[in-house]
Amino acid sequence: MKQLFEYMGGSSDERPPWLNLPLSSPLWGLWWGLLICLIIFFCGQASKFIYIDF
């Protein structure tokens, strides 16, 4: 897990040995699709607190 977090955080350039997905794998599309769905789902949650009437 430590290797994975270091790789994801950018402190290490080498992938963990068990994470050998080629860049053309369809799993990357699923991963990015999941991230986009999470961003769309949560993007409006904080915007209601921006406009405050004084």
Side-chain angles (χ1 to χ4, degrees):
M1 289 302 286
K2 182 180 182 246
Q3 289 177 338
L4 176 66
F5 290 138
E6 286 177 352
Y7 179 68
M8 289 174 57
S11 64
S12 174
D13 290 334
E14 293 187 27
R15 284 190 257 183
W18 49 271
L19 186 66
N20 290 328
L21 290 174
L23 293 177
S24 61
S25 174
L27 293 176
W28 288 116
L30 292 174
W31 171 249
W32 286 107
L34 174 70
L35 290 178
I36 289 171
C37 287
L38 285 173
I39 290 170
I40 290 172
F41 183 74
F42 287 108
C43 70
Q45 298 295 321
S47 65
K48 63 182 175 182
F49 296 108
I50 292 174
Y51 303 105
I52 300 174
D53 294 330
F54 289 102

